[in-house]
Amino acid sequence: MKYITRITRRIFLNAKSFHRSGNCCMISIPSVWDPALAPPGHHVAHVYTLEPFHGWTRADPAAYRAKKLERAQPLLAALRKVIPDIDERIRVQRVASPLTHAKFLRRHKGTYGPAIVAGKATFPGPNTGVKNLYRVGDSVLPGIGVPAVAASGMIVANSLVSSKKVDELVEKLGY
């Protein structure tokens, strides 16, 4: 598949609204490095964004399914920027929510990372207050997991140089 040449990308759907839910989407395609993760000729894409826990409920199962599909649209839009014909390629699609993470990952309010009280605090950003020292990893925005940790590095890189330069450097490394 000519579109899939590296494992992780970050896509901004609106450059002026980075922290808005669904705007900054992280895409991880681990089968680029390990083809055994998907059937022959296929790939696995993990696409996610920052999504608040507040407002999610399973009280009405049909409404819950509809909300998951609606919140998946920015993720699909981001994936289309990397793989324009993705809609024709999708064979299996699983949409998760913060409730999914709470249930199956046993995470408080579906969070990743440290115990941060929803509505009272968020993951810290990359800045440390020390000139030219930045934080990346699973305890900073956007959270834990390999794709999120990679995205935290991409976010810092993008804050230091232009997106174009980041892409050039990543391509030069062969990812």
Side-chain angles (χ1 to χ4, degrees), residues 78-89:
L79 195 53
R80 284 184 202 106
K81 289 182 175 239
V82 179
I83 308 169
D85 61 346
I86 190 62
D87 295 293
E88 292 81 42
R89 295 177 178 271

Side-chain angles (χ1 to χ4, degrees), residues 5-70:
T5 59
R6 61 189 209 210
I7 191 169
T8 303
R9 289 186 183 248
R10 52 56 191 111
I11 303 291
F12 299 98
L13 298 177
N14 179 341
K16 295 181 181 179
S17 183
F18 168 75
H19 292 290
R20 185 177 54 101
S21 177
N23 180 49
C24 179
C25 301
M26 280 62 78
I27 301 170
S28 174
I29 306 174
S31 51
V32 168
W33 284 349
D34 186 354
L37 295 173
H42 294 82
H43 282 280
V44 173
H46 176 204
V47 187
Y48 64 99
T49 188
L50 305 174
E51 180 69 30
F53 185 82
H54 179 73
W56 284 92
T57 177
R58 288 192 181 95
D60 178 347
Y64 174 65
R65 284 190 300 275
K67 184 173 183 176
K68 286 198 315 181
L69 292 176
E70 181 237 322

Side-chain angles (χ1 to χ4, degrees), residues 10 18 48 113-114 123-130 132-160 166:
R10 52 56 191 111
F18 168 75
Y48 64 99
F123 281 102
N127 296 319
T128 64
V130 176
N132 296 323
L133 178 64
Y134 300 90
R135 286 185 286 247
V136 298
D138 71 354
S139 61
V140 301
L141 185 77
I144 70 166
V146 173
V149 169
S152 75
M154 297 288 282
I155 288 168
V156 167
N158 195 54
S159 70
L160 299 173
V166 171

